[in-house]
Amino acid sequence: MLHRLLSADMPRSRLLSAVLLTILLGLALAPFLFSGARPLNTAATICVYIVLVASYDLLLGYTGIVSFAHTMFYGIGAYGIGLGLARVDEASWSAALGGLGIALLVALLLALVVGLFALRVRAIFYAMITLAVASSFAVLASQLSDFTGGEDGITFSVPEVLTPGFTLMENEVFGRSIDGRLLTYYLVFFGSLVLFLFLLRLVNSPFGRVLQAIRENEFRAEALGYRTMVYRIWANCLAALVAALAGALMALWLRYVGPKTSLGFEVMTDILLIVVIGGMGTMYGAVVGATLFIIAQNYLKELMGVASTALEGVPLLAAALHPDRWMLWLGVLFILSIYFFPIGIVGKLRLRSFLARQK
Amino acid sequence: MSATLPLAKQDTPLQADAPLPKAPRDIAPLLLVPALMLAMLPLIGSFPTWLTLTVAGLAMGMMIFIMASGLTLVFGLMSVLNFGHGAFVSVGAFSATLVLLPMQGWLEMDSLAVNLGVLALAITVAMLVTGLLGWAFERVIIMPVYGQHLKQILITMGGMIVAEQLIHVIWGAETIALPLPTALRGAIFLGDAAIEKYRLVAVVVGLVVFVGMFLTLNRTKIGLLIRAGVENGEMVEALGYRIKRLFVTVFAAGSALAGMGGVLWGLYKETLNAAMGGEIMVMIFIVIIIGGLGSVGGCFIGALLMALVANYAGFLAPKVALVSNIILMIAILLWRPAGLYAKTRG
């Protein structure tokens, strides 16, 4: 059963299994384990980022395509839900699904166009073109303020079942009332879980193997008779669709979309950092990486604040440890991990247990 | 080898001292900029407006060219695409504040010579800082990943993040205001057309850099080696030149140019923030793609085209201007899929 659910791609390392299990349980029980809005928010962000990063890994880690347009698709999904729900007076599921449907269609078409236009060229060229397209898209989204709310973005109401005012049961369960917020969390959680398992299924299918072959040696894959262009475009489209769905989940959770949170270049650098630190070409890398990253983002800052105040007298070091400078250390970690740790956390764990078994 | 082949019909056998056939000149891209300017004149209607827009476009184009030229040269020579190039632009602009802010008094003097002198000093400092930084960047970050494009992209991205954050650490997180020197403020009038003085300075500096680069590349030995390295690095190496040293020199020079561009761009915007390099990066990429990745001439034309199109579109159809870069890029790539002056290398 578990074997089938994970598409025969087991963690293959005892420590990794333990880590993944902890993360899964932590996320599944987050509303009951922690109290307050902030931990739940962190947990929901982790869920969405796991899907977002895993879908990017389909491109970067499995197919070897460097794209900078992934946030564009994420943003399209978020704006789809947002615009769909903001247009109607009474938030309804049909409005949300309608918006999402249009967003998926737009994402698919754009992915197809960008893919057709640019995937024929070398990796480096594709990276630049996607960067240009994505940034133009972000500019467009923030400038067309009549339609998208501009820089401020749009806040919208969600269907009644998901509103904090809604309660499903009179009684509390394990000291927690079953309200709309909780339901939204579980929508995000299970949505993310399903999407993640789908991606896992995808990369372990024959299709996924071809993608890996393309990554390793495109010329040879072509010579074996696979039409690599078609596979690359497929990978691009699938990754775009999953990213759009992740964006939709995030929008439902935040009840807000804006250019900063869904289209900003910062989101793209976050994704890149997570993929590399977690481990490229391993779906589980997205899980471990996203969890570490989001927790660091939310809680490391406070730690750095303490360190910074402690070092008040030392001029540059205090500034370097300022809570807002946490990306500095992450950037350094990123560079170091590309040199010394190119397989990421998950790759390293798997390699270790593989070597242990060889002995 | 030709001796073993059946003799091809040759009317004039090649002799050792016969002059080489001239490479055909490809002038079509050269005509694009003047053609665009002329085509826009009737559309805009009034000559003074057109002149103002054109000068503004040329000034912006020159600045973008200065920033982009280093990147395209580095790519052409070493096939390294430095995503961190934008960080050099920011670092350059911020380094200039080391001179410009303490010497504020000199800048406020209403004397063109003093103002330009301080500006030149600021640019020199910025170029020194970014040149050194570029040298260190090449040695520490890029050298271990030559030939691995995926790692290069990732690692230079990481370099950009670190550099941007270091700017925050050193200069603080706030935006810094950078007022123009007094003598360069305001505009001069040519008939009815208002032309901002600073833009004229930018055009002149850009032209000087372009001509300087052109002469260095085409009339000096080091230029010859660079051009040869762009065509075939192994051959240059085999002839006994140390291409690695050439690499790092070009990289440092390219970074210094980015720093210079950063100072000009910062003064143009009159505010500095650490993200400015990252923002301009998109334009730089579009320009070097249009130019054909590795060609300085193509980069120059691309920069002018892009800036002019952005300015004209901003006047004629403001909404379209937002995506005019992309439209221009697509149009050029449909015409010449590998850019205006594509290199033949694979």
Side-chain angles (χ1 to χ4, degrees), chain B:
Chain B
M1 186 168 160
S2 58
T4 62
L5 289 171
L7 275 175
K9 268 184 213 163
Q10 267 182 328
D11 299 334
T12 48
L14 270 179
Q15 284 164 358
D17 53 353
L20 285 171
K22 273 207 167 146
R25 278 192 183 260
D26 182 7
I27 55 162
L30 292 177
L31 299 175
L32 277 179
V33 174
L36 177 74
M37 288 186 194
L38 284 181
M40 286 299 148
L41 185 53
L43 274 178
I44 288 165
S46 100
F47 181 75
T49 321
W50 175 82
L51 192 62
T52 310
L53 284 174
T54 306
V55 172
L58 287 178
M60 191 174 152
M62 294 288 182
M63 284 185 275
I64 292 172
F65 164 71
I66 294 175
M67 289 182 269
S69 57
L71 191 63
T72 198
L73 209 53
V74 165
F75 183 83
L77 186 61
M78 319 182 213
S79 181
V80 167
L81 187 64
N82 179 12
F83 272 72
H85 196 76
F88 295 134
V89 172
S90 306
V91 170
F94 275 86
S95 310
T97 61
L98 294 176
V99 174
L100 293 179
L101 292 184
M103 299 180 88
Q104 197 71 48
W106 294 62
L107 284 178
E108 278 162 15
M109 265 186 239
D110 197 10
S111 147
L112 189 64
V114 173
N115 283 180
L116 285 182
V118 175
L119 203 59
L121 184 66
I123 288 178
T124 315
V125 169
M127 287 180 78
L128 274 177
V129 172
T130 46
L132 278 175
L133 185 72
W135 180 78
F137 205 78
E138 203 270 351
R139 293 282 111 164
V140 178
I141 294 198
I142 296 180
M143 200 145 75
V145 290
Y146 270 124
Q148 308 168 45
H149 277 170
L150 181 69
K151 279 193 173 180
Q152 268 171 20
I153 294 175
L154 294 176
I155 215 148
T156 49
M157 277 287 303
M160 189 183 89
I161 294 172
V162 171
E164 236 174 55
Q165 295 292 325
L166 280 177
I167 291 177
H168 283 311
V169 170
I170 298 171
W171 280 282
E174 281 87 36
T175 317
I176 296 179
L178 199 62
L180 273 176
T182 314
L184 298 181
R185 274 180 221 159
I188 48 174
F189 284 87
L190 280 180
D192 288 334
I195 294 171
E196 282 179 40
K197 290 180 197 161
Y198 183 67
R199 289 183 175 157
L200 285 178
V201 174
V203 171
V204 171
V205 175
L207 274 179
V208 168
V209 170
F210 176 65
V211 171
M213 259 181 108
F214 187 81
L215 290 180
T216 314
L217 281 175
N218 289 299
R219 296 277 185 276
T220 64
K221 184 161 180 196
I222 188 129
L224 184 71
L225 285 177
I226 292 172
R227 280 184 299 138
V230 171
E231 293 302 326
N232 191 340
E234 274 173 26
M235 187 61 86
V236 176
E237 184 97 300
L239 288 173
Y241 295 99
R242 285 202 227 157
I243 196 130
K244 286 229 165 99
R245 192 182 282 175
L246 197 62
F247 278 6
V248 77
T249 316
V250 170
F251 199 94
S255 313
L257 280 172
M260 178 188 203
V263 182
L264 293 175
W265 189 250
L267 280 168
Y268 185 67
K269 293 251 159 201
E270 300 198 51
T271 51
L272 300 183
N273 63 325
M276 61 186 274
E279 286 157 15
I280 197 88
M281 215 43 206
V282 175
M283 277 198 248
I284 293 177
F285 277 155
I286 294 178
V287 162
I288 68 173
I289 290 175
I290 291 178
L293 285 174
S295 150
V296 173
C299 172
F300 186 66
I301 297 173
L304 292 186
L305 271 182
M306 200 192 77
L308 283 171
V309 167
N311 267 287
Y312 292 139
F315 178 77
L316 292 171
K319 289 283 181 204
V320 181
L322 299 173
V323 285
S324 66
N325 299 341
I326 294 287
I327 296 174
L328 177 73
M329 182 175 81
I330 292 173
I332 297 273
L333 289 185
L334 285 177
W335 177 43
R336 294 202 166 175
L340 291 176
Y341 285 117
K343 298 280 159 199
T344 43
R345 293 165 306 115

Side-chain angles (χ1 to χ4, degrees), chain A residues 116-353:
Chain A
L116 275 176
F117 188 66
L119 272 177
R120 304 166 165 275
V121 294
R122 287 175 296 161
I124 231 164
F125 217 78
Y126 185 68
M128 296 197 305
I129 290 180
T130 48
L131 183 69
V133 170
S135 72
S136 299
F137 191 84
V139 169
L140 214 58
S142 64
Q143 293 296 318
L144 297 178
S145 43
D146 304 337
F147 184 58
T148 60
E151 284 293 332
D152 300 332
I154 22 176
T155 42
F156 50 88
S157 48
V158 287
E160 202 216 334
V161 187
L162 300 181
T163 53
F166 176 83
T167 41
L168 191 65
M169 277 181 256
E170 291 293 311
N171 312 354
E172 291 190 340
V173 182
F174 297 117
R176 174 119 202 160
S177 59
I178 307 297
D179 59 3
R181 206 68 191 136
L182 191 92
L183 291 179
T184 318
Y185 179 75
Y186 278 109
L187 179 69
V188 170
F189 174 75
F190 283 109
S192 303
L193 192 64
V194 169
L195 284 173
F196 180 76
L197 290 177
F198 166 72
L199 284 172
L200 204 58
R201 176 69 261 181
L202 198 68
V203 296
N204 288 295
S205 65
F207 174 77
R209 291 286 175 266
V210 179
L211 295 187
Q212 276 161 297
I214 292 173
R215 174 192 68 190
E216 293 304 326
N217 192 332
E218 185 176 353
F219 184 70
R220 237 179 246 183
E222 184 100 55
L224 284 173
Y226 295 110
R227 299 178 62 191
T228 51
M229 257 294 285
V230 176
Y231 277 89
R232 277 149 60 111
I233 287 175
W234 262 109
N236 207 31
C237 291
L238 284 168
L241 288 181
V242 177
L245 286 170
L249 289 177
M250 197 70 211
L252 271 184
W253 174 255
L254 292 176
R255 287 172 284 166
Y256 162 80
V257 282
K260 261 245 145 32
T261 53
S262 55
L263 289 168
F265 193 65
E266 288 81 11
V267 183
M268 198 62 235
T269 49
D270 289 355
I271 297 175
L272 271 172
L273 290 171
I274 297 174
V275 170
V276 170
I277 291 172
M280 279 187 275
T282 58
M283 280 291 150
Y284 295 117
V287 180
V288 179
T291 311
L292 275 179
F293 185 88
I294 304 292
I295 290 179
Q297 190 176 36
N298 279 280
Y299 297 97
L300 185 74
K301 287 183 187 173
E302 283 164 33
L303 222 80
M304 286 177 62
V306 176
S308 174
T309 9
L311 289 170
E312 198 105 51
V314 196
L316 273 186
L317 204 57
L321 285 173
H322 189 273
D324 288 344
R325 293 290 80 75
W326 73 289
M327 273 299 270
L328 172 66
W329 303 103
L330 222 67
V332 173
L333 185 69
F334 179 74
I335 293 177
L336 291 179
S337 66
I338 292 173
Y339 281 149
F340 303 111
F341 206 50
I343 48 179
I345 297 172
V346 169
K348 199 82 185 171
L349 286 176
R350 280 180 164 180
L351 186 69
R352 216 179 58 171
S353 65

Side-chain angles (χ1 to χ4, degrees), chain A residues 51-80:
Chain A
V51 175
L52 181 63
V53 172
S55 64
Y56 188 69
D57 198 26
L58 183 67
L59 288 179
L60 181 68
Y62 282 89
T63 327
I65 299 173
V66 189
S67 159
F68 281 96
H70 212 58
T71 45
M72 178 168 85
F73 300 117
Y74 177 67
I76 288 174
Y79 270 100

